[in-house]
Each structure stands twice: as C-alpha cells, then as structure tokens.
Amino acid sequence: MHDFNVPASASKEERYELLYRQAQALVDGESDAIANMANIAAMIHTTIEPLWTGFYRVVGDELVLGPFQGPLACSRIKYGRGVCGTAWERGETIVVEDVEKFPGHIACSSLSRSEIVVPVWCDNQIVAVLDIDSRKLAAFDEVDRVWLERIVALL
Ligand code: SME
C-alpha cells in the first residue's frame, strides 16, 4: 500500500507533487481505467478535501457518472450542458470561480460554490472529465489546472 499522508505544512504545489507521484505509482501497477479513476478520485479528495471529486465518462452523447467521492451527484450530463458538458464541448479545462455566475451550471449540491472540470484525453479524444467542487468561492486556480491536467494524463 502507498502512504497518502501529506504534511499539514505542505504548500499547494507540494501537495500536488506528492499526489502526482502517488497517482503515477498507482497507475503504473494497474491497467484498469475505472480502478485508476476510483483511486485518483479518492487521493485527490483526501488531499484537497473539497466537497466532491469525481469522474464523468463519455458514453455516446452523454457524460455518465463514474467513480467519485462525496455526496450523491447527477448521473447523466448532456454534451454542452453544465460545466462538465461545456468542458467536453470546448475540449479544455474550465475553472469556475463562482458557480452562480456560470450560465447553465448544474447544481448537484447547493453547497458547491466553485468548480474545476478537467478533460481526460485518450488517443486525441475526450473519454471522461474530472470534476471537483468546492464549498469555497474561487477555490481553484492555474496551479490546480496544471497539476490536475498532469494527473489525469496518467490515466
Ligand atoms: N456542476 C456540474 C455537475 C456535476 S456535479 O457538480 C457533481 C456541472 O455543472 O456540470
């Protein structure tokens, strides 16, 4: 088993660096994408401690809920809908500082204030998105974007 403890004094970059190395070690030893999504969601959730961390997988013309940590979430999101469907449509990460200001945001929980959605690419196609919701406004920035893109690229 891997040791997922992060020192309380660690900076955001240090936490992500550790997370990245742990994710790399996990993915290196396992080829199943769902198992890896499940463990990556758990690792991110226990390190960053947001409201919700999880994956939606591309299935046909929809995103379907995949492995996640946190409260109950909506099961399906259409292409171009919500932050997740928009990130899929645009083919890029979306950082939302205030979910109330994102037109069409899908509120799975009224406690969510900000959000980041990172596409997962495989063979030049988006196969899933990683979605993280926070109870705090503007919880995510460029540091999160850069490191989360690196982490999902391991999948
Ligand atoms: N807020 C997302 C929906 C998924 S939940 O947050 C888990 C969206 O607008 O796409």
Side-chain angles (χ1 to χ4, degrees):
M1 248 353 240
H2 303 280
D3 178 9
F4 296 140
N5 291 332
V6 180
S9 60
S11 70
K12 189 162 163 174
E13 283 86 353
E14 286 168 337
R15 280 167 191 271
Y16 270 121
E17 209 173 317
L18 197 60
L19 246 181
Y20 180 81
R21 281 193 271 117
Q22 289 168 341
Q24 201 168 32
L26 270 166
V27 170
D28 276 354
E30 176 55 63
S31 59
D32 187 273
I34 300 285
N36 287 332
M37 285 182 195
N39 270 330
I40 285 176
M43 283 168 43
I44 292 171
H45 201 71
T46 50
T47 305
I48 302 178
E49 298 180 341
L51 172 66
W52 195 90
T53 308
F55 289 89
Y56 282 90
R57 297 161 301 120
V58 171
V59 180
D61 63 349
E62 291 181 314
L63 293 169
V64 181
L65 186 61
F68 74 96
Q69 299 266 319
L72 198 76
C74 49
S75 303
R76 289 170 188 268
I77 299 173
K78 292 272 183 211
Y79 182 76
R81 304 294 295 274
V83 185
C84 292
T86 305
W88 178 21
E89 183 178 43
R90 291 186 194 165
E92 62 186 27
T93 297
I94 299 182
V95 176
V96 181
E97 293 195 348
D98 180 350
V99 295
E100 286 181 15
K101 295 190 177 139
F102 189 95
H105 165 258
I106 300 164
C108 291
S109 165
S110 58
L111 296 176
S112 175
R113 310 287 302 282
S114 64
E115 180 164 2
I116 184 168
V117 178
V118 183
V120 179
W121 293 86
C122 183
D123 297 332
N124 290 320
Q125 283 195 324
I126 293 177
V127 293
V129 298
L130 168 66
D131 179 17
I132 310 179
D133 292 352
S134 175
R135 297 175 187 83
K136 291 183 280 185
L137 276 176
F140 306 106
D141 57 20
E142 271 299 289
V143 173
D144 298 280
R145 184 186 66 75
V146 167
W147 278 103
L148 292 169
E149 285 179 358
R150 281 183 194 158
I151 290 168
V152 302
L154 295 167
L155 281 165

